[in-house]
Amino acid sequence: MSAMLGLSYIIINSEIPMAVPEKKTAAAPHRSATLAVGDKNLSFPMLDGTEGPSVIDISKLYGESGHFTYDPGFLSTASCESKITFIDGDAGILRYRGYDIDALAEKSDFLEVAYLLLYGELPNAKQKQEFVRTITLHTMVHEQLHFLFRGFPRSSHPMALMVGASASLSAFYHDSLDINVPEQRELSCWRMIAKMPTLAAMAHKYSVGHPFIYPQNDLGFSENFLNMMFATPCEKTKVNPVLARAMDKILILHADHEQNASTSTVRMAASSGANPFACIGAGIASLWGPAHGGANEAVINMLREIGDVKHIPEFIKKVKDKSSGVRLMGFGHRVYKNYDPRAKVLHKTCSEVLAELGKIDEPLLKIAVELERIALSDEYFIERKLYPNVDFYSGIIYRAMGIPSKMFTVLFAVARTVGWVAQWKEMMEDPKNKIGRPRQLYTGARQRAFVPLEKRS
Ligand code: ACO
């Protein structure tokens, strides 16, 4: 391909200072990369972030060379500039706004992290109190939404309900749809964060035929969510604080992961100026896919299939045999080539939850721990840098809490809504925001004459 285009190579000129850029960006260019296309040498600015690889700004490539770049799956493409989340997959680092994920999971709580992701700083005591109050006052959904749920078959996958219900919020909250008004944007963010657990619990209640449980303003975010999931009108329930804390941690760990498929979907949908509720609906649709939000369910199925610690060596043998098509689910990650920092926190949380519930002898946990031990000392996994990812332990925790496997991805959506709205807000505030419009490598038919029906074979 490169020979065909006459595109020879890229040189990074680290010493050559660039002319002052027309528009000052946060990542000011001070180096350039030279791309030889045919007999032309084209120079492109290199932008440095605060951490991570620098990028080559090729936005003027087409104008200057008549060529596009080609990068299916965005393996080498930074789609935007962002200040929210930083990942170093080789070092196993995940940070929100500069704070390590394990510190946030252990020392903070979900709404504090939501504030951090949205506004860039941890709240002080007054800001936190106001934010928690604001979110709490938005947890109820319009009563008419109950009828929307009732239009779905009881057997619907709860993610189908979530895609529909989240996008439908745009039909109820007309006073926060003007994306050009900062106050309305903020109100939409609060509404999405507050109402998503209510919708998620409604999706669960609907599927099991229980009445919906209204939010309770005297409960914390995760406590309220678990109450809406498991309470019934017949009996007073008290949410176990250990489980509420574990849920809070899980939500923190899943809150954002920079430009993953669902977040990029939200940004792409929003780039046209679509309303935020509809954009989050698009994000939920993307998250639903098994390559994104659905792997923790697959881990549970795998552990069940293994059934006993004594079957692990035989299972590992199958995983290493490529012809079997079997993978060790919950292991490996496109970005992390080290232990996923979220998996470390979840392993500990998993033991805490099972101990609290008197299920420490849970056979699935025993199998998971032994699988991890064997895999981490096996050359196959070491060589390929395959470590447990966030999904390896989360399913065991959910199962122990009594959450059905169909709801696992819904919980992911509840958490990731915070990341989606934070990324959406950042994008809306960015003056460089443009409609997302990728190009393509066209390989279809060239122009041909129209053939009337009677002459077609
Ligand atoms: N079990 C066994 N072998 C594996 C696994 C695994 N889980 N993951 C990767 N490998 C092997 C591949 O066979 C390949 O081997 P080869 O070099 O001999 O051909 C090598 O490791 C590289 O694998 P790729 O598939 O190229 O890696 P990629 O980065 O594209 O895939 C993925 C990442 C999809 C997550 C993969 O590791 C996988 O399928 N894992 C299991 C599913 C899973 O847990 N997904 C959840 C990810 S976390 C999340 O999305 C929230």
Side-chain angles (χ1 to χ4, degrees):
M1 179 65 66
S2 44
M4 196 172 86
L5 295 176
L7 185 155
S8 352
Y9 46 80
I10 292 183
I11 309 167
I12 310 292
N13 301 315
S14 17
E15 261 81 63
I16 303 173
M18 289 292 294
V20 177
E22 295 154 32
K23 245 195 246 165
K24 197 169 169 13
T25 63
H30 59 89
R31 292 180 292 160
S32 68
T34 305
L35 177 66
V37 184
D39 55 0
K40 267 198 210 163
N41 278 337
L42 304 172
S43 184
F44 299 99
M46 289 189 68
L47 310 178
D48 288 331
T50 43
E51 294 196 77
S54 36
V55 302
I56 302 167
D57 175 358
I58 48 92
S59 51
K60 297 207 167 73
L61 174 67
Y62 180 65
E64 293 183 11
S65 73
H67 296 298
F68 299 134
T69 55
Y70 180 62
D71 183 17
F74 301 111
L75 297 184
S76 298
T77 298
S79 61
C80 64
E81 185 181 317
S82 180
K83 293 181 171 58
I84 300 175
T85 292
F86 172 69
I87 302 174
D88 180 337
D90 293 326
I93 290 172
L94 167 62
R95 294 192 196 117
Y96 297 161
R97 303 282 191 184
Y99 295 102
D100 284 324
I101 191 68
D102 51 342
L104 290 171
E106 295 300 342
K107 298 174 186 163
S108 187
D109 61 54
F110 183 63
L111 282 187
E112 197 167 79
V113 169
Y115 186 100
L116 173 71
L117 288 169
L118 266 183
Y119 300 111
E121 296 297 335
L122 285 167
N124 63 28
K126 185 167 175 283
Q127 289 165 333
K128 183 170 177 178
Q129 192 189 18
E130 279 170 9
F131 186 66
V132 169
R133 186 75 190 139
T134 302
I135 298 299
T136 305
L137 291 178
H138 281 289
T139 49
M140 219 159 56
V141 294
H142 197 291
E143 198 66 9
Q144 199 67 15
L145 266 156
H146 292 212
F147 298 101
L148 180 97
F149 274 81
R150 294 210 162 96
F152 283 83
R154 294 265 177 197
S155 58
S156 305
H157 194 288
M159 283 297 276
L161 293 164
M162 294 302 287
V163 172
S166 60
S168 81
L169 295 180
S170 48
F172 292 93
Y173 302 106
H174 298 282
D175 60 339
S176 65
L177 293 184
D178 190 339
I179 59 163
N180 298 312
V181 179
E183 293 76 18
Q184 292 200 25
R185 293 202 295 262
E186 193 173 36
L187 180 55
S188 285
C189 294
W190 294 339
R191 281 178 166 152
M192 289 303 313
I193 295 169
K195 294 182 198 305
M196 200 57 91
T198 312
L199 295 177
M202 285 171 76
H204 169 60
K205 286 298 196 188
Y206 189 71
S207 71
V208 293
H210 282 186
F212 299 133
I213 300 295
Y214 287 94
Q216 299 277 311
N217 284 2
D218 58 339
L219 301 180
F221 189 87
S222 293
E223 202 183 0
N224 180 47
F225 174 52
L226 289 174
N227 191 62
M228 290 189 291
M229 283 284 293
F230 296 116
T232 67
C234 328
E235 210 170 290
K236 279 204 163 46
T237 28
K238 170 95 183 83
V239 174
N240 182 327
V242 174
L243 302 194
R245 179 69 194 124
M247 179 55 70
D248 223 57
K249 273 190 198 176
I250 294 174
L251 296 179
I252 292 172
L253 296 174
H254 288 85
D256 196 47
H257 213 228
E258 51 116 310
Q259 309 312 319
N260 54 83
S262 57
T263 303
S264 300
T265 303
V266 170
R267 278 186 179 259
M268 178 65 100
S271 74
S272 70
N275 78 69
F277 302 109
C279 297
I280 301 298
I284 296 177
S286 166
L287 184 72
W288 194 356
H292 192 0
N296 46 16
E297 202 177 328
V299 172
I300 293 291
N301 295 337
M302 173 191 76
L303 296 175
R304 273 206 198 116
E305 213 177 290
I306 295 173
D308 194 292
V309 171
K310 67 174 189 269
H311 298 140
I312 293 177
E314 181 196 333
F315 178 75
I316 294 275
K317 213 165 135 196
K318 228 194 291 176
V319 167
K320 286 159 52 175
D321 171 11
K322 289 285 165 60
S323 66
S324 74
V326 176
R327 282 200 166 192
L328 178 49
M329 297 312 287
F331 255 69
H333 196 279
R334 170 60 63 79
V335 179
Y336 293 114
K337 300 303 169 197
N338 203 323
Y339 210 106
D340 180 337
R342 302 167 297 174
K344 272 189 193 150
V345 179
L346 280 180
H347 187 167
K348 189 165 161 258
T349 309
C350 186
S351 305
E352 287 163 4
V353 166
L354 295 181
E356 177 65 18
L357 297 173
K359 294 182 179 173
I360 202 68
D361 288 330
E362 160 73 56
L364 293 194
L365 178 66
K366 279 195 176 156
I367 298 170
V369 170
E370 184 58 8
L371 249 185
E372 179 184 338
R373 192 191 65 75
I374 294 180
L376 291 182
S377 56
D378 189 301
E379 212 35 54
Y380 175 95
F381 298 92
I382 296 170
E383 228 173 55
R384 292 169 178 77
K385 299 187 176 165
L386 300 170
Y387 294 86
N389 60 47
V390 69
D391 291 318
F392 195 64
Y393 286 105
S394 58
I396 302 176
I397 306 178
Y398 293 149
R399 217 174 92 98
M401 287 180 172
I403 294 167
S405 52
K406 271 187 174 177
M407 283 295 291
F408 291 2
T409 321
V410 175
L411 296 195
F412 200 154
V414 170
R416 190 53 61 84
T417 294
V418 168
W420 291 329
V421 296
Q423 300 267 352
W424 172 76
K425 182 170 168 285
E426 178 179 68
M427 181 178 165
M428 290 296 123
E429 289 165 0
D430 183 352
K432 296 193 297 293
N433 178 27
K434 273 186 169 38
I435 187 166
R437 179 49 171 101
R439 303 304 301 265
Q440 63 175 5
L441 173 66
Y442 177 70
T443 53
R446 290 179 188 276
Q447 185 185 31
R448 44 191 172 158
F450 180 80
V451 184
L453 184 59
E454 63 278 11
K455 293 203 171 150
R456 288 177 220 157
S457 52

